[in-house]
Amino acid sequence: MEVIKLLGYEYKVLSFISAHENVDFNEVVKGLGINEDSIRWAIEDLKTKKAITSEEGTKVTYILTEEGKSYLSKFPEEQLVEYVNSSKPLEVKELPENLRIGFIWAKKNGWINIYNGILTLTDNGKRVLEDGFSYPLNKALNLANNGSYEVDEEQVKILISRKLVERKERPYIKNLAITDLGKSLLANEKEEEKIGSLSRDLIAHRGWEGKSFEPYSIAAEVAPSYPALRHPMNEFINYIRYKMASLGFKETVGSIIQPAFWVFDSLFSPQDHPTRDMQDTFFLSSPDAIEIDDEELINRVKKMHLNNWKGKWDINNAKQAVLRTHTTAVSAHSMYNYRNMDFTTPLKLFTIDKAFRNESVDYKHLAEMYQLDGIVIGKSLSMANLIWILKEFFSSLGLEIRIQPSYFPFTEPSFEIHHFDKEHNDWIEMGGAGVIRNDITEALGLKDATVLAWGLGLDRMMLSRAKLNSLSDLYKNNIGWLRTRNKIEF
Amino acid sequence: MATVTFYNKDIEKFMSLDVFKSQIPELGMSVEDSNDTSIVVDITPNRPELLYFNNLIREILLHLGILKPRSYDSEIKNLDGDLYVSPEFRSLRPYGIAFAAKNIDLSGNSLEYLVNFTEKLTDTYGRKRKKVALGMHNLDKVEFPLFYNLSEDKEFTPLKYGVSIKFSDFIKEKDNEGYSSIFGNKDGRYPILKDNSKILSLVPVINSDETSVSAFTRNLLIDINGSDETAVKNTARIIASSLIDIGASIYPVRVHMTQNKSSFISIDLKSRRASLHFKDFNSRIGLAEKSEKCLDLISRSGYLVKSSNSTSATILIPPYRTDIFGKIDIIEDMAIAYGYNNINAKEISGIYGYGNLDKLTELKNSLAELSIGLGYTEALNFYLTSRQIEFEYMLHDDPGSVSLLSSKTSTFSIIRTKLLPNLMMNLKTSADQPMPQKLFEVGNVYTVKGNKVEENLNIAFVSEGAKVNFNNLKADLEALCNYLKVHLELKESKDPAFIEGRTADIYIDGIKKGIIGEINPEVLLNFGLLEPVSALELTIQKLDY
């Protein structure tokens, strides 16, 4: 004959049922303090082994709807009575929107009267107030919410008809009883000693040998873990930084706060250019001006402007403090800083940082955005060399590019960089490039050197990679997104 | 951005729509919109003359080699009359000229194109008429001589207005763009252009109706005035060459400066000369093209070749080109004619070498790694913020913040002086998320000391949750200082943003660098937070570029 063995929690469950006559499922769960699923399995198995019997019943529960939950403290008709009582003679049409719903029920309950469109409380209504609201519907709703079985059937019918609660019937196991077979099984079998937590002691003394481990319910739900993560934009910026560094570029940095000189004047932008307007550029009131300490540099830049743009050039406009509108300002500084170098070996520099525009922020516009600016300074470099560098860089990002003529005051020739976007099946502009004007390189003090430059906005590139719809969502820093987001493929 | 609408049926007189649309990007512009009747083109800002239909068509035909460059000088005819500019007028508006253009056909869409052109030209190149303003009049209704001078507040009948009205009333009623305030009036006297008997325009606001131009007008008077002499001259050359291309002859006027009795002829269309070595083109672009190809590129860029040999050419810059400062600009045009995507990439010799990240980036990254190791998630906030979040909510005074002169976004008025206020906002945004919540930021903060900016690299931690307290943050701070190999000391202190008795100043190697503590519940409520928050912020490094 096959030996029937009790497994897992079966011994515990069977002992409990043996000790408590005709218990139901919930009592077993409470009594043993083991999770419901494990007990359900144990009971099913014990039934199969004919160790216990049980009956199937159904249990009625009431679930509150959203509207029902909002009535837990007061029903609208109760609020209405309070409102009518506290206000002066009240016309029906003056009733606030949120109380209208209560009107019908207050009337039905005989709490209010209407005469010539004026609302008054009836004696019944006043009594309701004095009784401190012992409104049967309210009581029933609260009982239903607490899962009590003593809810007045009549009141529940009304609650259901008002769509405040829903009735649910659930199957449930009751009248669990042990069979003779069960009793003998229990008598024959002692609960096997199982290991719960593995301890230092058990490990050191090989105490686990000859025993088994209490099994866990693998399918049981666990509380979520939240990883601490870097901000995805910084991950992306670092990714681009490493690409640039591995192409042999050195990173440079500079302040976001600059005299207009480094943002505009040194880069050939005329002083009456529309982008130098408060409408487009953030000018500062504190500090309002920043000194430029190289007189000779100022004079060279001034001469560059007067020779080319004619008109006037005012040093005070160049000193105005602004938030840089492009990171090319950092490149301008770099050209100046490295002006005395020998460029027989080309110098390759890049910067990735914030630039600012006076924009109204919305889902596709930001007032501050990340830009990459790269330059190569060398002897007799050409536009064909720049195209080569760009192809190297963009192919390292897996992007195919095409170029198109464009206009920037500081480069000649100038062009836009477009990449093929598979999502839109079209070429999309992603940055600008060009050979820096000789006037600029000379004014900045570079002798006999050509400067290739390109710039790229990073926020929009990030948007499609992070599968976000709005640029500003990137910087809301909702921890929900930050710590549950997926890895982003750049 | 300046966009112009061109009608398909007009384009199709010269080329197919497909050719037109494919040429626009080749010339550095973009098609913004197109439908069954018209195409909207965004015109590149350095080529204001292309705001005119005929000129854009001319440019494309030149580029395709269908049209050859021409000279415009020969269409300048004899003088047509005199213009007197009074000293008073010049004190408000230094430069003013005029010229006549005769024998024009303005039928069909020609007038609409021309009017739109002059409006867009003075809007962009003329900087909303501040730098240059322009008026077009029916020459046949004008009696020379002309006068730019100031006038009492008089009545006249403005263009399309129907009745006569005083200058001052018209300005009040109709000058929504504020043109009248560009250079104002002088003691109630207004700048005007008049002829022998009548007012032609209230400068630079509106013309008179009497000399208005219609599709049947054959002869035009153009007056141009502005604050910048070069810009006025360039505008005249752009307009005159445009009119010549639609069949006009140009008749200058003699401009008299009434204060010093000097005079000059209002317009010339002489081309500037430039000499170009083909090797300059080849080396800048990275090509090795021979003279024949170079001459073709020059011609397709609209430059007339005066003379040439195997290595160089002398060329004439057309009078409508206001953007040519030097050879390099001509070389760019030749490259555009060559086709940018026909230029083969060329490896740079000696380009290989090692690259690296800036020390500051490396420091920021290692601080971030440590913070993540301590269980903090990184936040990345805007630099721009409001005084309310930065100071009011934190119960702090403004320590001297970098302030914006004006901002289109009302919540931006300063640059952050600390990282913590933004992190508190992030906790507010995340209020419905499970606790505990731990965030950090590493970033730059700014203050102003005596009109000089002080920039620092800071790190800040916030930790929110029922079980979070001062000691958790203190332990994290100790781990941070251990990692950075610096000596930490905490000294009890007071700060309105923190709870008294649970706040300390952070001293690093003996110098005060920051603050740590539990956030004052008043501050928590300011940010709408209902769980305790502990926080710290300290300066890692002063930045000096």
Side-chain angles (χ1 to χ4, degrees):
Chain A
M1 190 186 126
E2 197 193 341
V3 184
I4 303 171
K5 290 211 67 164
L6 295 175
L7 301 168
Y9 289 119
E10 286 171 26
Y11 180 84
K12 277 188 177 170
V13 172
L14 192 56
S15 305
F16 189 87
I17 294 172
S18 165
H20 304 82
E21 243 169 87
N22 291 335
V23 286
D24 67 19
F25 179 77
N26 278 351
E27 288 167 300
V28 179
V29 173
K30 272 189 198 152
L32 291 176
I34 302 168
N35 77 63
E36 274 190 35
D37 286 337
S38 301
I39 291 181
R40 191 166 285 125
W41 284 115
I43 285 175
E44 288 305 315
D45 286 344
L46 288 170
K47 275 163 71 181
T48 321
K49 290 170 182 168
K50 301 200 182 347
I52 55 169
T53 58
S54 70
E55 289 170 27
E56 297 281 322
T58 53
K59 189 180 264 179
V60 174
T61 53
Y62 298 105
I63 298 175
L64 271 64
T65 61
E66 283 306 311
E67 193 183 359
K69 283 180 199 159
S70 72
Y71 291 177
L72 276 171
S73 70
K74 274 200 182 91
F75 273 60
E77 52 265 41
E78 294 177 284
Q79 292 177 30
L80 178 82
V81 168
E82 275 188 343
Y83 188 82
V84 174
N85 187 51
S86 64
S87 81
K88 291 182 196 112
L90 182 70
E91 284 192 50
V92 176
K93 59 184 181 214
E94 285 169 8
L95 210 55
E97 192 71 40
N98 59 336
L99 296 180
R100 298 249 159 115
I101 236 178
F103 179 75
I104 302 160
W105 288 93
K107 188 87 177 56
K108 219 173 191 169
N109 294 342
W111 292 350
I112 51 169
N113 251 335
I114 308 168
Y115 183 72
N116 278 349
I118 303 286
L119 269 178
T120 50
L121 288 186
T122 61
D123 288 348
N124 261 342
K126 286 176 189 153
R127 207 167 306 129
V128 171
L129 265 177
E130 284 158 15
D131 291 355
F133 294 109
S134 51
Y135 188 31
L137 272 183
N138 192 329
K139 214 166 154 191
L141 187 71
N142 276 287
L143 284 173
N145 189 43
N146 296 334
S148 170
Y149 305 122
E150 295 153 25
V151 190
D152 184 322
E153 282 294 322
E154 287 306 308
Q155 301 300 334
V156 167
K157 272 183 197 160
I158 300 175
L159 292 178
I160 292 171
S161 76
R162 287 181 70 174
K163 294 198 170 59
L164 302 179
V165 301
E166 284 165 7
R167 185 188 158 95
K168 287 263 156 73
E169 286 189 359
R170 279 192 176 165
Y172 112 103
I173 306 165
K174 62 181 182 182
N175 289 341
L176 285 160
I178 190 162
T179 61
D180 288 343
L181 179 61
K183 282 177 189 160
S184 69
L185 275 175
L186 201 57
N188 291 340
E189 188 137 359
K190 278 194 176 155
E191 187 184 6
E192 192 191 344
E193 199 191 332
K194 290 191 176 176
I195 301 170
S197 303
L198 191 55
S199 67
R200 190 184 172 91
D201 213 38
L202 283 173
I203 298 166
H205 299 104
R206 309 188 68 81
W208 79 89
E209 283 181 338
K211 292 178 183 165
S212 63
F213 288 84
E214 197 76 70
Y216 291 153
S217 167
I218 306 296
E221 270 189 34
V222 296
S225 275
Y226 298 111
L229 290 171
R230 288 215 72 174
H231 191 280
M233 190 64 197
N234 270 339
E235 278 185 1
F236 183 51
I237 288 170
N238 275 333
Y239 169 80
I240 302 282
R241 278 193 181 119
Y242 290 124
K243 292 286 178 197
M244 290 301 288
S246 52
L247 286 169
F249 283 74
K250 293 184 206 300
E251 191 182 18
T252 56
V253 292
S255 181
I256 58 166
I257 298 162
Q258 294 291 333
F261 182 86
W262 285 111
V263 180
F264 300 119
D265 297 283
S266 67
L267 289 168
F268 206 71
S269 180
Q271 291 200 328
D272 72 342
H273 197 276
T275 57
R276 290 181 75 148
D277 196 276
M278 280 212 300
Q279 289 300 309
D280 291 303
T281 298
F282 283 120
F283 284 84
L284 303 181
S285 57
S286 170
D288 53 0
I290 298 172
E291 291 299 320
I292 307 132
D293 46 21
D294 185 339
E295 262 326 300
E296 280 178 38
L297 170 69
I298 293 171
N299 284 333
R300 287 197 303 269
V301 167
K302 179 177 181 173
K303 218 172 105 191
M304 166 174 88
H305 278 263
L306 293 180
N307 284 348
N308 290 293
W309 294 111
K310 319 287 182 200
K312 293 190 197 101
W313 189 84
D314 185 350
I315 179 66
N316 290 318
N317 290 340
K319 284 181 186 170
Q320 284 178 311
V322 299
L323 299 184
R324 66 178 174 218
T325 59
H326 52 180
T327 46
T328 314
V330 180
S331 299
H333 264 292
S334 298
M335 286 184 247
Y336 172 70
N337 291 340
Y338 287 101
R339 66 192 177 283
N340 293 322
M341 255 186 67
D342 168 55
F343 299 108
T344 314
T345 305
L347 178 67
K348 294 163 288 169
L349 304 172
F350 80 98
T351 191
I352 298 186
D353 214 334
K354 278 262 165 100
F356 297 78
R357 303 271 163 85
N358 194 355
E359 289 267 14
S360 309
V361 174
D362 60 29
Y363 73 101
K364 53 195 253 198
H365 296 97
L366 292 176
E368 46 187 286
M369 45 261 154
Y370 282 99
Q371 289 183 346
L372 158 71
D373 220 74
I375 55 172
V376 182
I377 312 178
K379 292 198 163 168
S380 45
L381 299 178
S382 68
M383 179 172 167
N385 293 143
L386 176 55
I387 295 170
W388 178 76
I389 277 282
L390 291 173
K391 290 203 161 148
E392 290 281 295
F393 171 67
F394 284 103
S395 73
S396 82
L397 301 182
L399 295 175
E400 187 196 344
I401 59 159
R402 178 174 93 168
I403 61 174
Q404 183 179 310
S406 188
Y407 171 71
F408 311 109
F410 45 93
T411 48
E412 203 72 28
S414 308
F415 51 92
E416 283 172 6
I417 305 158
H418 294 225
H419 83 102
F420 193 76
D421 184 296
K422 285 175 191 131
E423 216 170 292
H424 298 91
N425 199 31
D426 200 2
W427 293 89
I428 306 250
E429 188 204 337
M430 65 184 327
V435 186
I436 299 284
R437 289 192 78 96
N438 297 356
D439 315 70
I440 296 171
T441 52
E442 279 160 25
L444 292 176
L446 294 163
K447 287 159 207 88
D448 193 25
T450 319
V451 183
L452 311 177
W454 86 96
L456 192 63
L458 299 182
D459 300 84
R460 256 171 237 269
M461 285 176 77
M462 180 64 195
L463 200 63
S464 58
R465 283 161 176 75
K467 309 256 182 300
L468 293 176
N469 296 319
S470 164
L471 274 174
S472 54
D473 282 352
L474 262 178
Y475 302 102
K476 285 211 172 105
N477 297 305
N478 187 321
I479 200 166
W481 180 58
L482 291 177
R483 65 188 180 183
T484 62
R485 69 177 173 87
N486 302 123
K487 180 178 183 298
I488 295 168
E489 300 299 332
F490 301 126
Chain B
M1 187 166 105
T3 57
V4 186
T5 304
F6 302 107
Y7 296 109
N8 294 354
K9 64 175 168 57
D10 294 326
I11 295 167
E12 282 171 323
K13 286 175 200 159
F14 299 93
M15 65 192 78
S16 76
L17 294 178
D18 285 343
V19 169
F20 182 81
K21 282 187 206 165
S22 68
Q23 283 294 305
I24 293 298
E26 291 281 310
L27 293 170
M29 288 171 281
S30 56
V31 173
E32 289 296 304
D33 197 13
S34 91
N35 58 36
D36 291 345
T37 55
S38 62
I39 296 177
V40 181
V41 180
D42 184 11
I43 302 295
T44 179
N46 59 323
R47 298 294 300 274
E49 83 277 13
L50 301 184
L51 293 164
Y52 184 43
F53 173 75
N54 288 63
N55 293 350
L56 185 63
I57 294 291
R58 174 182 70 198
E59 191 71 12
I60 294 172
L61 294 177
L62 283 166
H63 187 242
L64 291 170
I66 295 169
L67 192 70
K68 295 292 170 209
R70 63 172 287 181
S71 144
Y72 290 86
D73 207 14
S74 58
E75 290 306 322
I76 292 276
K77 307 295 181 195
N78 50 319
L79 284 172
D80 211 39
D82 295 281
L83 165 66
Y84 294 88
V85 189
S86 79
E88 272 185 310
F89 184 89
R90 295 198 68 203
S91 72
L92 294 179
R93 192 71 156 169
Y95 307 99
I97 60 154
F99 62 85
K102 296 185 187 174
N103 213 13
I104 305 171
D105 177 9
L106 293 178
S107 59
N109 291 323
S110 298
L111 181 62
E112 182 188 332
Y113 284 132
L114 187 61
V115 169
N116 283 344
F117 173 43
T118 58
E119 272 171 15
K120 297 236 155 132
L121 184 67
T122 49
D123 206 42
T124 56
Y125 184 73
R127 307 279 191 263
K128 297 193 160 57
R129 303 191 193 174
K130 266 186 218 129
K131 205 171 178 182
V132 185
L134 178 157
M136 258 195 313
H137 316 267
N138 183 346
L139 180 71
D140 301 334
K141 300 267 178 72
V142 174
E143 272 177 75
F144 280 100
L146 303 169
F147 302 89
Y148 267 132
N149 58 20
L150 302 190
S151 151
E152 306 296 325
D153 193 1
K154 271 191 196 154
E155 293 217 338
F156 79 126
T157 308
L159 190 62
K160 291 180 189 154
Y161 190 75
V163 292
S164 78
I165 182 171
K166 276 189 160 181
F167 298 151
S168 56
D169 292 333
F170 182 80
I171 284 164
K172 254 180 252 158
E173 191 184 318
K174 284 278 182 189
D175 184 24
N176 302 325
E177 301 287 330
Y179 292 130
S180 58
S181 60
I182 292 172
F183 46 91
N185 57 52
K186 199 173 191 181
D187 310 325
R189 286 155 57 76
Y190 293 80
I192 58 157
L193 173 71
K194 64 183 284 275
D195 70 1
N196 203 24
S197 62
K198 58 191 176 293
I199 295 165
L200 300 187
S201 95
L202 171 61
V203 181
V205 185
I206 187 107
N207 286 343
S208 151
D209 201 50
E210 207 176 331
T211 55
S212 67
V213 176
S214 77
F216 307 106
T217 307
R218 301 284 295 167
N219 303 314
L220 295 176
L221 172 75
I222 312 285
D223 83 289
I224 301 172
N225 57 76
S227 60
D228 180 288
E229 186 177 8
T230 311
V232 167
K233 279 188 176 164
N234 281 341
T235 304
R237 290 154 71 89
I238 286 173
I239 296 289
S241 57
S242 305
L243 295 175
I244 287 170
D245 270 335
I246 58 167
S249 295
I250 302 298
Y251 295 78
V253 301
R254 183 170 285 281
V255 184
H256 300 266
M257 304 295 191
T258 48
Q259 85 230 70
N260 55 14
K261 301 217 163 43
S262 69
S263 71
F264 61 91
I265 292 170
S266 63
I267 183 169
D268 77 72
L269 291 177
K270 288 197 181 72
S271 298
R272 282 185 292 154
R273 270 168 200 244
S275 68
L276 190 84
H277 286 276
F278 304 141
K279 71 168 169 29
D280 290 342
F281 166 73
N282 281 324
S283 68
R284 184 75 166 192
I285 306 302
L287 296 171
E289 296 297 341
K290 299 268 182 325
S291 66
E292 195 185 348
K293 175 74 176 174
C294 290
L295 290 171
D296 175 54
L297 297 175
I298 289 169
S299 165
R300 287 201 284 121
S301 304
Y303 302 96
L304 204 57
V305 177
K306 187 89 179 152
S307 63
S308 69
N309 57 38
S310 62
T311 59
S312 70
T314 300
I315 64 177
L316 298 178
I317 301 166
Y320 52 80
R321 290 301 296 269
T322 56
D323 59 322
I324 306 298
F325 298 113
K327 260 183 280 190
I328 201 70
D329 302 288
I330 300 166
I331 288 169
E332 181 186 41
D333 283 340
M334 291 168 67
I336 290 173
Y338 191 87
Y340 280 9
N341 286 296
N342 297 329
I343 300 165
N344 287 323
K346 245 193 197 167
E347 187 173 329
I348 303 172
S349 58
I351 185 77
Y352 299 101
Y354 71 93
N356 59 261
L357 302 190
D358 191 80
K359 285 256 177 298
L360 195 61
T361 298
E362 284 177 345
L363 175 61
K364 285 179 179 178
N365 278 339
S366 58
L367 288 169
E369 271 180 40
L370 175 87
S371 308
I372 283 165
L374 290 170
Y376 291 83
T377 285
E378 188 180 31
L380 186 62
N381 282 292
F382 291 139
Y383 285 34
L384 296 166
T385 186
S386 70
R387 288 199 162 80
Q388 187 180 43
I389 291 170
E390 193 78 5
F391 308 124
E392 248 178 72
Y393 285 3
M394 296 295 283
L395 309 177
H396 279 154
D397 292 329
D398 185 343
S401 51
V402 173
S403 311
L404 304 178
L405 203 57
S406 79
S407 168
K408 281 183 197 158
T409 303
S410 59
T411 47
F412 295 152
S413 57
I414 57 166
I415 300 281
R416 65 185 180 196
T417 63
K418 292 246 162 51
L419 300 173
L420 274 184
N422 278 335
L423 288 175
M424 296 293 288
M425 280 304 284
N426 300 154
L427 292 178
K428 180 188 166 102
T429 306
S430 312
D432 59 344
Q433 297 297 322
M435 298 290 163
Q437 297 181 3
K438 296 167 80 178
L439 286 172
F440 82 97
E441 183 158 12
V442 175
N444 303 359
V445 296
Y446 301 80
T447 47
V448 184
K449 302 238 158 73
N451 214 35
K452 280 229 159 60
V453 177
E454 192 181 299
E455 189 169 352
N456 286 300
L457 174 64
N458 275 18
I459 184 168
F461 290 174
V462 290
S463 184
E464 181 185 20
K467 290 175 189 159
V468 171
N469 64 32
F470 179 89
N471 290 331
N472 305 128
L473 268 270
K474 183 181 169 184
D476 291 338
L477 176 61
E478 284 175 354
L480 172 73
C481 291
N482 173 60
Y483 181 72
L484 295 176
K485 292 182 286 186
V486 293
H487 177 253
L488 168 70
E489 204 184 334
L490 294 182
K491 292 183 185 171
E492 202 178 317
S493 71
K494 285 182 192 173
D495 184 299
F498 295 87
I499 296 172
E500 201 172 331
R502 300 183 184 182
T503 312
D505 285 332
I506 299 169
Y507 282 75
I508 301 292
D509 295 336
I511 301 162
K512 189 174 149 183
K513 291 284 187 185
I515 193 157
I516 177 171
E518 291 185 13
I519 299 289
N520 181 349
E522 194 69 46
V523 174
L524 293 179
L525 285 177
N526 286 344
F527 285 97
L529 300 177
L530 295 172
E531 303 254 5
V533 174
S534 289
L536 70 84
E537 172 154 10
L538 79 153
T539 296
I540 298 292
Q541 188 180 314
K542 187 170 190 286
L543 299 176
D544 197 7
Y545 299 103

